[in-house]
C-alpha cells in the first residue's frame, strides 16, 4: 500500500485530467499548480485581484486538507502572467504571512498561463505530525 495520499481542493480541479491538486507523503506536502478558480462556478474570473485572493484562499484550504496550515509552508513558487501584478500577490502574501521573521521562501517568475489565469502558485510544505 502506498504511503502517498492525493489531495484536492473542494470545487477546484484540473479539469477532466487525472491529476490531483497535490500529494502528501509522510509529513511532506507538494501541490500542483493552484489557480484562482472560483469554486462556485469552476471558472477563472477576469479580475486579477479576485484571482490572487482566490489563489491564497485555495492555499489555505489545501493546507487544511493536508492536515496543516500556511505556517507549514516552506516554499511557494509564484507564476505571473504579467510582472505588474506582483503587488497584488505581495498584498495577499503579507496577509497570509504577517510575520517577516517567519515567512516561507518564495520564487516568482513571469510566464504564459492557460485558461485566463494571471497567477498560479505551487507550494512545498512539511506538516508536523
Amino acid at each position: 500500500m502506498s504511503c502517498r495520499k492525493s489531495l484536492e481542493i473542494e470545487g477546484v480541479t484540473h479539469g477532466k485530467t487525472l491529476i490531483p491538486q497535490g500529494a502528501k507523503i509522510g509529513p511532506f506536502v507538494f501541490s500542483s499548480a493552484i489557480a484562482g478558480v472560483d469554486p462556485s462556478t469552476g471558472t477563472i474570473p477576469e479580475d486579477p485581484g479576485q484571482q490572487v485572493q482566490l489563489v491564497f484562499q485555495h492555499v489555505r484550504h489545501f493546507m487544511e486538507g493536508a492536515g496543516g496550515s500556511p505556517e507549514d509552508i516552506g516554499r511557494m513558487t509564484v507564476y505571473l502572467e504579467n510582472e505588474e501584478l506582483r503587488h497584488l500577490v505581495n498584498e495577499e502574501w503579507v496577509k497570509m504571512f504577517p510575520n517577516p521573521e517567519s515567512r516561507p521562501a518564495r520564487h516568482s517568475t513571469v510566464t504564459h498561463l492557460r485558461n485566463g489565469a494571471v497567477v498560479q502558485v505551487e507550494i512545498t510544505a512539511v506538516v508536523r505530525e
Side-chain angles (χ1 to χ4, degrees), residues 52-102:
V52 173
Q53 289 173 351
L54 285 166
V55 163
F56 278 84
Q57 174 184 308
H58 297 330
V59 165
R60 186 172 302 283
H61 291 147
F62 177 81
M63 288 305 302
E64 289 169 359
S69 76
E71 286 300 308
D72 299 308
I73 297 171
R75 177 182 167 97
M76 181 182 290
T77 303
V78 179
Y79 301 94
L80 294 168
E81 181 76 25
N82 182 327
E83 179 70 31
E84 294 175 11
L85 301 174
R86 184 183 294 268
H87 73 282
L88 296 172
V89 173
N90 289 342
E91 288 174 20
E92 294 301 317
W93 175 263
V94 171
K95 289 178 191 175
M96 182 167 279
F97 308 110
N99 182 354
E101 302 285 324
S102 178

Side-chain angles (χ1 to χ4, degrees), residues 18-77:
L18 302 175
I19 301 168
Q21 283 292 163
K24 182 177 181 186
I25 302 173
F28 303 103
V29 178
F30 310 91
S31 79
S32 297
I34 299 174
V37 175
D38 182 335
S40 65
T41 64
T43 61
I44 297 174
E46 289 184 24
D47 178 49
Q50 187 178 5
Q51 282 191 44
V52 173
Q53 289 173 351
L54 285 166
V55 163
F56 278 84
Q57 174 184 308
H58 297 330
V59 165
R60 186 172 302 283
H61 291 147
F62 177 81
M63 288 305 302
E64 289 169 359
S69 76
E71 286 300 308
D72 299 308
I73 297 171
R75 177 182 167 97
M76 181 182 290
T77 303

Side-chain angles (χ1 to χ4, degrees), residues 105-127:
R106 182 175 120 183
H107 175 73
S108 300
T109 189
V110 176
T111 189
H112 173 70
L113 301 172
R114 296 179 289 193
N115 301 321
V118 297
V119 62
Q120 291 181 338
V121 301
E122 292 177 358
I123 59 175
T124 304
V126 180
V127 176

